[in-house]
């Protein structure tokens, strides 16, 4: 009997403590909630893989210009340099590109997830996309953003030019599989002065995902659509570096305003945060959408763990970095900064990893 009562009181106290913690969250400012997440992630930042640490550090530097993130940016540069060093020596010929891509694509085939299966089926007839889009182009664009390029840049560009990206970015099945990635890539191609296929992609995207058919989409496909929309804005801003103008993307903002409740109810926290950040990039801080998304994201924070868990309740920091760094940006937005670049922030680039040189 005593054991039953003690368990009863233990779980009762646990329940009331949880309620009290969530009530406390209601009284915190958005900035304080962002700080909660920072205090969870930043002490562990340099235990993360280079990609994850770089993803977090670069975004936080672009927001704050705080040099404490310099080491994370160096990790990101080293990752980019390592990729491009390998690509320029080991993945050069069409045969090497094909072999590399087939091996990478096989990883998607073995996953039971709808997204992975869509990616495998859409890309199996043009596997080189996995190398060109997911690998090479992203690394070249990141180096370019830093004001750098690879020492074998000419050769890498020759590899890019062997392939017509219009084939990938206008294919409906590719869009259903890779919407956000394709949005990034068409803007990266423009940034690098290579193919100009932004408008073709946007036209194909809108034809693939007409608003009138939203109710026919699976949960994964609806998330893919909204994720694609947010990344059109992100890519146009060079990833939080430049403000954008609402009128240039009026169709996207009109869609958000009309469908915000559906977006909040049917998409994940990282997608909801991205919608809010889209409005901030357009200088629409006072728009009701920003307040709505901030409120949802603040309430999603587990105050005991100091982070937003996954939809399954997972609290892993590495896999949760993406949604949580976006939450910080939404809750404590500090504007756009063109940073870091070799010319504007030389202190960040005192040591440049081997293989990268100034543009």
């Amino acid at each position: 009997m005593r054991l039953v009562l003690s368990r009863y009181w233990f779980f009762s106290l646990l329940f009331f403590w949880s309620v009290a913690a969530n009530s406390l969250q209601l009284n915190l400012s958005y900035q304080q909630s962002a700080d909660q997440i920072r205090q969870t992630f930043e002490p562990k930042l340099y235990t993360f893989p280079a990609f994850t640490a770089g993803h977090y550090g670069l975004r936080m530097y672009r927001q704050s210009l705080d040099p404490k993130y310099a080491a994370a940016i160096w990790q990101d540069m080293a990752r980019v340099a390592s990729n491009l060093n390998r690509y320029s020596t080991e993945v050069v010929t069409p045969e090497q590109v094909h072999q590399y891509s087939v091996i990478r694509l096989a990883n998607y085939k073995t996953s039971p997830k709808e997204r992975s299966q869509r990616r495998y089926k859409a890309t199996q007839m043009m596997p080189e996309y996995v190398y060109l889009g997911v690998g090479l182009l992203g690394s070249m664009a990141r180096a370019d953003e830093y004001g750098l390029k690879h020492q074998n840049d000419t050769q890498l560009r020759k590899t890019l030019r062997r392939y017509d990206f219009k084939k990938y970015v206008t294919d409906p099945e590719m869009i259903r599989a890779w919407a956000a990635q394709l949005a990034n890539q068409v803007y990266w191609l423009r940034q690098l002065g290579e193919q100009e296929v932004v408008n073709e992609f946007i036209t194909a995207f809108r034809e693939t995902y007409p608003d009138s058919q939203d109710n026919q989409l699976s949960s994964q496909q609806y998330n893919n659509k909204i994720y694609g929309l947010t990344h059109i804005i992100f890519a146009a801003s060079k990833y939080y570096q430049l403000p954008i103008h609402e009128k240039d993307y009026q169709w996207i903002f009109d869609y958000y305003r009309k469908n915000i409740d559906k977006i909040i109810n049917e998409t994940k926290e990282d997608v909801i945060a991205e919608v809010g950040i889209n409005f901030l990039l357009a200088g629409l801080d006072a728009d009701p959408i920003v307040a709505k998304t901030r409120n949802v994201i603040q309430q999603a924070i587990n105050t005991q763990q100091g982070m937003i868990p996954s939809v399954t309740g997972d609290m892993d920091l590495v896999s949760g970095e993406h949604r949580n760094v976006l939450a910080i940006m939404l809750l404590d937005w500090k504007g756009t900064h063109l940073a870091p670049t070799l010319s504007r922030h030389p202190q960040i680039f005192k040591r440049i990893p081997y293989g990268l040189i100034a543009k």
Side-chain angles (χ1 to χ4, degrees):
M1 183 67 174
R2 287 180 180 176
L3 182 59
V4 172
L5 285 173
S6 63
R7 284 181 176 174
Y8 170 78
W9 285 112
F10 172 77
F11 287 111
S12 295
L13 285 170
L14 191 63
F15 171 76
F16 285 115
W17 186 71
S18 176
V19 170
N22 288 332
S23 297
L24 178 62
Q25 185 70 43
L26 292 171
N27 297 321
L28 293 179
S29 69
Y30 292 133
Q31 182 179 355
Q32 288 172 321
S33 292
D35 285 339
Q36 279 187 320
I37 301 174
R38 286 191 188 96
Q39 289 160 13
T40 300
F41 278 80
E42 296 195 3
K44 302 287 183 66
L45 182 59
Y46 297 109
T47 68
F48 297 164
F51 177 85
T52 309
H55 185 275
Y56 183 99
L58 178 58
R59 279 150 183 75
M60 289 295 93
Y61 186 82
R62 284 179 175 169
Q63 280 285 283
S64 67
L65 302 180
D66 191 328
K68 74 178 182 180
Y69 300 111
I73 292 169
W74 194 91
Q75 280 186 272
D76 189 61
M77 279 194 291
R79 177 190 63 83
V80 168
S82 177
N83 287 345
L84 295 179
N85 289 338
R86 181 187 180 191
Y87 297 154
S88 67
T89 56
E90 298 179 11
V91 195
V92 179
T93 67
E95 293 76 20
Q96 289 171 330
V97 168
H98 180 79
Q99 184 63 25
Y100 174 95
S101 302
V102 167
I103 293 171
R104 288 286 302 272
L105 188 59
N107 295 329
Y108 294 101
K109 184 178 182 180
T110 58
S111 171
K113 294 181 179 179
E114 179 182 347
R115 182 180 69 175
S116 296
Q117 287 302 307
R118 283 185 177 275
R119 289 180 175 180
Y120 179 75
K121 290 174 183 176
T123 318
Q124 61 181 334
M125 299 305 294
M126 36 187 157
E128 70 281 355
Y129 168 78
V130 179
Y131 167 67
L132 297 168
V134 181
L136 177 60
L137 186 53
S139 294
M140 290 179 68
R142 179 61 56 78
D144 182 78
E145 290 170 14
Y146 288 142
L148 304 170
K149 64 180 180 180
H150 192 263
Q151 59 190 7
N152 293 330
D153 182 69
T154 300
Q155 176 189 301
L156 293 170
R157 288 175 181 266
K158 284 181 180 178
T159 301
L160 271 183
R161 291 169 187 166
R162 285 205 302 262
Y163 304 90
D164 183 4
F165 269 79
K166 186 175 180 180
K167 176 175 70 172
Y168 315 130
V169 308
T170 59
D171 184 287
E173 290 307 312
M174 288 291 284
I175 292 170
R176 293 185 184 105
W178 303 95
Q181 291 74 20
L182 291 169
N184 293 340
Q185 291 149 16
V186 297
Y187 280 93
W188 285 339
L189 286 165
R190 173 183 283 179
Q191 173 186 322
L192 291 169
E194 294 296 331
Q195 271 189 272
E196 178 53 65
V197 285
V198 170
N199 292 336
E200 287 91 338
F201 166 71
I202 290 176
T203 297
F205 178 93
R206 298 183 74 175
E207 290 173 352
T208 301
Y209 286 122
D211 298 346
S212 60
Q213 294 180 16
D214 278 357
N215 291 333
Q216 299 174 32
L217 299 176
S218 68
S219 175
Q220 189 276 332
Q221 278 296 283
Y222 189 67
N223 272 268
N224 191 61
K225 173 180 177 172
I226 308 305
Y227 201 30
L229 291 175
T230 63
H231 277 245
I232 291 171
I233 303 293
F234 284 168
S237 76
K238 293 186 71 174
Y239 270 83
Y240 329 113
Q241 294 191 90
L242 300 170
I244 62 106
H245 301 290
E246 177 183 3
K247 61 181 177 58
D248 293 337
Y249 304 93
Q250 196 65 59
W251 62 281
I252 296 179
F253 287 98
D254 288 347
Y255 180 86
Y256 289 156
R257 292 189 176 102
K258 184 178 179 180
N259 296 279
I260 188 58
D261 291 334
K262 180 178 175 66
I263 291 169
I264 287 172
N265 290 330
E266 298 187 22
T267 67
K268 297 179 181 180
E269 281 86 359
D270 50 356
V271 179
I272 295 168
E274 289 189 356
V275 170
I277 296 170
N278 277 186
F279 279 80
L280 295 171
L281 283 166
L284 301 170
D285 305 50
D287 193 287
I289 300 293
V290 174
K292 267 195 169 186
T293 56
R294 279 176 167 164
N295 185 59
V296 169
I297 294 304
Q298 185 183 52
Q299 294 309 306
I301 298 171
N302 181 306
T303 55
Q304 299 159 43
Q305 299 291 331
M307 65 178 290
I308 298 174
S310 73
V311 292
T312 61
D314 183 67
M315 296 288 182
D316 180 69
L317 295 184
V318 173
S319 61
E321 177 273 333
H322 181 267
R323 84 182 77 92
N324 281 278
V325 76
L326 288 164
I328 294 170
M329 294 171 67
L330 174 65
L331 295 172
D332 190 22
W333 180 249
K334 298 183 184 300
T336 57
H337 301 100
L338 194 61
T341 67
L342 179 63
S343 59
R344 291 169 178 258
H345 311 93
Q347 70 278 11
I348 300 291
F349 298 91
K350 290 179 181 177
R351 292 185 303 115
I352 298 175
Y354 176 78
L356 297 178
I357 58 177
K359 284 198 297 181

